């Protein structure tokens, strides 16, 4: 589609996916490399230069720790043109605050879930957009049929004016009846012109809505929506909605996010206790480049404990997460109640509109008979032109009301 809003929604979804790829990068192996060269000296006789190349790989661990491996080699003239190389492994692992997958990988977890929510929201928009296209299409069909009804109505007024003029010419009616007939014809003709302009404007707006260019013509087939009877059982439909509705799935999973947020905020109240391990191997300085074993090793291990004396911000964050969870629980309960009521209301609306369709069809049949009788009685001189006009206008209103009900029923059915 060329619809601008649809394109914007697609771009927004793509940006959400890009955001996730950036977050995933922070939780995947991160490779880095650096090359440096330094030239220094105090006077022409005391100048030194050196070069160093290093490469590293770092990875965030599932339990919140970080591990990195770094290798480097270098040369320095300040040490008598000496070369050296080394390999080091560094590991840090929190044991209390910040420990555990929920806490450590929350950024990635939330980014992945946010993309799922964005996909569902886009699908909801796409479904709503499809219904909106159908609604706009059928509104154009409705306008075209109303225009055709107006044409038939004008033909009836033209047909009614001629007998009025004929009866006046033989003295069987007065001039007032002729003037009424002409006024009704002119009024109907003006309404037809307005309806034609309204349809052209509606077609232009539909073209713009679809994102089509100025030179592209849009028209719709004069086909009213076919009546499709709904045979679903109400409670079964409610159960299906509570299982499949995308916005309902988002609500439930966002409640899980709020519960996870409480656990993470509670973890933030713990002391900082971290384990660190380091091990390195080197060649030592040598005038020869390469061919030397990495036999100069060292290691270290340590624990660090940070005992908090004040945790006002962390305490506030924990309390805020609890309030957020309570709010999310209320929102889920409210959404569920509204969803159930909405599904049941839609069934009642469809049932009402189905009855209204039957009534409108019967009303049209009655108004057709009424218009024919009024036409015959007018030609016989028993009815005034006003009675004929009222009968024809009532038939026009009934026909327009029927297509309106058909469109409203179809849109409600698609929404269900």
């Amino acid at each position: 589609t060329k619809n601008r809003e649809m394109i914007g929604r697609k771009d927004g979804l793509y940006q959400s996916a890009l955001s996730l790829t950036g977050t995933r990068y922070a939780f995947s192996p991160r490779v880095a490399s650096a090359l440096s060269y330094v030239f220094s000296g105090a006077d022409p006789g005391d100048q030194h230069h050196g070069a160093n190349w290093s490469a590293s790989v770092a990875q965030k661990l599932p339990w919140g720790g970080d591990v990195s491996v770094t290798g480097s080699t270098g040369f320095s003239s300040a040490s008598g043109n000496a070369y050296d190389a080394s390999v080091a492994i560094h590991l840090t692992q929190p044991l209390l605050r910040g420990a555990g997958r929920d806490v450590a990988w929350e950024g990635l977890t939330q980014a992945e879930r946010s993309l799922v929510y964005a996909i569902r929201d886009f699908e909801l928009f796409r479904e709503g957009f499809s219904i909106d296209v159908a609604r706009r299409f059928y509104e154009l069909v409705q306008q075209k049929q109303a225009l055709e009804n107006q044409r038939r109505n004008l033909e009836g007024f033209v047909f009614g004016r001629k007998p009025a003029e004929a009866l006046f010419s033989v003295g069987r009616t007065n001039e007032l009846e002729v003037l009424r007939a002409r006024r009704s014809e002119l009024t109907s003709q003006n309404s037809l012109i307005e309806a034609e302009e309204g349809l052209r404007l509606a077609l232009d707006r539909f073209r713009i809505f679809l994102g089509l260019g100025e030179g592209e013509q849009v028209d719709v087939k004069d086909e009213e929506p076919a009546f499709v009877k709904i045979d679903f059982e109400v409670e079964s439909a409610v159960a299906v909605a509570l299982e499949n509705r995308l916005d309902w799935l988002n609500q439930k999973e966002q409640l899980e996010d709020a519960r996870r947020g409480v656990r993470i905020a509670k973890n933030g109240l713990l002391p900082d206790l971290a384990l660190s391990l380091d091990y390195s191997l080197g060649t030592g300085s040598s005038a020869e480049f390469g061919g030397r074993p990495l036999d100069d090793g060292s290691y270290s291990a340590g624990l660090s404990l940070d005992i908090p004396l004040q945790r006002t911000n962390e305490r506030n964050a924990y309390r805020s997460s609890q309030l957020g969870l309570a709010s999310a629980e209320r929102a889920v309960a409210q959404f569920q109640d509204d969803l159930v009521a909405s599904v049941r209301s839609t069934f009642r609306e469809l049932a009402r509109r189905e009855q209204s369709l039957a009534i409108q069809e019967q009303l049209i049949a009655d108004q057709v008979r009424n218009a024919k009788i009024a036409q015959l009685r007018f030609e016989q001189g028993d009815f005034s032109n006003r009675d004929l006009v009222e009968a024809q206008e009532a038939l026009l209103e009934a026909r327009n009301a029927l297509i309106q009900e058909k469109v409203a029923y179809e849109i409600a059915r698609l929404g269900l």
Side-chain angles (χ1 to χ4, degrees), residues 49-60:
H49 62 96
N52 182 267
W53 175 80
S54 65
S56 65
V57 178
Q59 171 68 57
K60 194 171 187 65

Side-chain angles (χ1 to χ4, degrees), residues 140 143-144 147 194-204:
L140 288 172
Q143 282 189 261
K144 290 191 73 173
L147 180 63
E194 291 178 351
E196 289 173 339
E197 177 57 30
L199 179 60
R200 283 193 290 269
L201 178 60
L203 287 171
D204 281 341

Side-chain angles (χ1 to χ4, degrees), residues 37-41 47-51 75-79 81-82:
Y37 178 81
V38 177
F39 181 84
S40 62
Q47 294 180 344
H48 304 286
H49 62 96
F75 161 80
S76 176
S77 64
S79 302
N81 295 329

